[in-house]
Amino acid sequence: MDTEEILKKQKLKVTPQRKAIIQVLQNSSSVLSAQEIFAAVIDVMPNVNLSTVYRNIDVLLKKGVLCRITSEDDKILYELRREKGHHHHIICKKCGASIPIDYCPMEDIEKELDKKGFTPTEHRFEIYGYCEKCSKKLKK
Amino acid sequence: MDTEEILKKQKLKVTPQRKAIIQVLQNSSSVLSAQEIFAAVIDVMPNVNLSTVYRNIDVLLKKGVLCRITSEDDKILYELRREKGHHHHIICKKCGASIPIDYCPMEDIEKELDKKGFTPTEHRFEIYGYCEKCSKKLKK
DNA sequence: ATCGCTGCAAACAATTTGCAGCCGC
DNA sequence: GCGGCTGCAAATTGTTTGCAGCGAT
């Protein structure tokens, strides 16, 4: 989908900065930090400001255009949301690629939570490791 | 277990600062951030320094005395490790209590990962919500 | 006497905010 | 034209580092 469409669909104003941010994420094969997005946007739009990037990441997140992911070492990363429903990610520690997975552990644990009287509202499940390509490279 | 014992068992030097940090965590019913630990330690030891707290959290983490937990809103929190083996946590969004759980989703997903050629090395699984007490309070 | 631990100040990194002007609708 | 969006600078927040002195072995 085209960047402009994405924005219009969310009833967001179409600005060159927003388009650039989405484009960067579309072209990226890995999950990116706010700073990395900024660095990539600045290449094509030399006077964007970092705060603009932060502000737009926020609105795009709220609208569900982006996913927020926590890296293995607690850094916050973003990617374009490609899947519709609820899902989790596997993230490659080498190339930063993220692979969506359907599996969600919550079904398997609801009973146990219920037993403890705990009412779950959110959860986090992320797997880190090496993707197929990087696994092979490391073995060599 | 007594704070001094904990440190000795890990072959760490026993210092009043370290003892105070562990004590704070022992007395706390919730998971704490570095700054919160600092705030609590300073009450009993007015001239500790924040960097001392950070440095000691690091060594205690490395020795496995502490667990590092990521809050729902991506803040890093700590608690005394109470369980021995691998485990995950349920964290109450209201009171900050953390409840360890044995269940780990990795067993259930290994096959799927294998199919995708992904080699997992680490993972993160945390559940946020309301503990029994806080659930009841909210219903009233 | 040595080496690790601490306090202090300063540096650093990541993110947020206030404000004035600009731009998309 | 209005209200949201942006750039810029400055403020915050969270964490790390260099250094000199202290303290335990």
Side-chain angles (χ1 to χ4, degrees), chain B residues 12 18 54-65:
Chain B
L12 289 172
R18 286 177 183 172
Y54 275 110
R55 285 188 276 229
N56 282 323
I57 287 176
D58 276 351
V59 314
L60 294 174
L61 257 185
K62 274 194 195 120
K63 292 288 188 175
V65 178

Side-chain angles (χ1 to χ4, degrees), chain B residues 10-26:
Chain B
Q10 303 300 331
K11 304 200 171 131
L12 289 172
K13 274 198 179 150
V14 177
T15 71
Q17 293 84 343
R18 286 177 183 172
K19 284 166 67 176
I21 289 171
I22 296 176
Q23 196 131 36
V24 161
L25 287 163
Q26 277 180 334

Side-chain angles (χ1 to χ4, degrees), chain B residues 7-8 14 34 41 43-44 49 51 53 55 59 62-63 69 74-75 85 87-88 97 109 111 115 118 124 129 134 140:
Chain B
L7 289 166
K8 281 184 182 160
V14 177
V41 170
D43 274 347
V44 67
N49 197 272
S51 26
V53 172
R55 285 188 276 229
V59 314
K62 274 194 195 120
K63 292 288 188 175
I69 291 165
D74 297 305
K75 294 201 167 52
H87 66 284
H88 296 282
I109 205 192
K111 276 182 198 163
K115 232 185 293 171
F118 193 90
R124 195 191 284 271
C134 293
K140 282 177 194 167

Side-chain angles (χ1 to χ4, degrees), chain B residues 2-113:
Chain B
D2 162 79
T3 58
E4 207 150 318
E5 277 181 70
I6 296 176
L7 289 166
K8 281 184 182 160
K9 186 167 287 183
Q10 303 300 331
K11 304 200 171 131
L12 289 172
K13 274 198 179 150
V14 177
T15 71
Q17 293 84 343
R18 286 177 183 172
K19 284 166 67 176
I21 289 171
I22 296 176
Q23 196 131 36
V24 161
L25 287 163
Q26 277 180 334
N27 294 339
S28 166
S29 59
S30 59
V31 285
L32 300 177
S33 68
Q35 312 267 346
E36 285 167 336
I37 295 172
F38 172 62
V41 170
I42 222 173
D43 274 347
V44 67
M45 192 182 280
N47 59 338
V48 248
N49 197 272
L50 181 52
S51 26
T52 302
V53 172
Y54 275 110
R55 285 188 276 229
N56 282 323
I57 287 176
D58 276 351
V59 314
L60 294 174
L61 257 185
K62 274 194 195 120
K63 292 288 188 175
V65 178
L66 305 188
C67 276
R68 173 206 289 246
I69 291 165
T70 308
S71 79
E72 184 210 355
D73 52 344
D74 297 305
K75 294 201 167 52
I76 298 174
L77 305 171
Y78 304 92
E79 68 166 1
L80 265 194
R81 172 170 232 118
R82 290 157 216 265
E83 305 266 308
K84 293 119 247 173
H86 177 76
H87 66 284
H88 296 282
H89 294 97
I90 330 178
I91 295 127
C92 178
K93 293 198 290 181
K94 186 141 191 293
C95 68
S98 105
I99 306 160
I101 47 172
D102 273 335
Y103 172 75
C104 175
M106 288 309 283
E107 307 152 26
D108 296 336
I109 205 192
E110 277 192 345
K111 276 182 198 163
E112 197 183 331
L113 294 182

Side-chain angles (χ1 to χ4, degrees), chain A residues 16-62:
Chain A
Q17 292 85 344
R18 285 177 185 173
K19 283 165 66 176
I21 290 170
I22 295 177
Q23 197 132 36
V24 161
L25 288 163
Q26 276 180 334
N27 294 339
S28 168
S29 59
S30 60
V31 284
L32 300 177
S33 68
Q35 312 267 347
E36 286 167 335
I37 295 172
F38 172 61
V41 170
I42 222 172
D43 274 346
V44 67
M45 193 181 280
N47 59 337
V48 246
N49 197 273
L50 181 53
S51 25
T52 302
V53 172
Y54 275 110
R55 284 188 278 228
N56 282 324
I57 288 176
D58 276 350
V59 315
L60 294 174
L61 256 186
K62 274 194 194 119

Side-chain angles (χ1 to χ4, degrees), chain A residues 124-139:
Chain A
R124 193 193 286 270
F125 178 44
E126 275 144 18
I127 303 172
Y128 311 102
Y130 300 101
C131 69
E132 192 157 21
K133 279 185 194 171
C134 293
S135 290
K136 280 178 188 163
K137 277 183 202 158
L138 289 173
K139 275 179 195 160

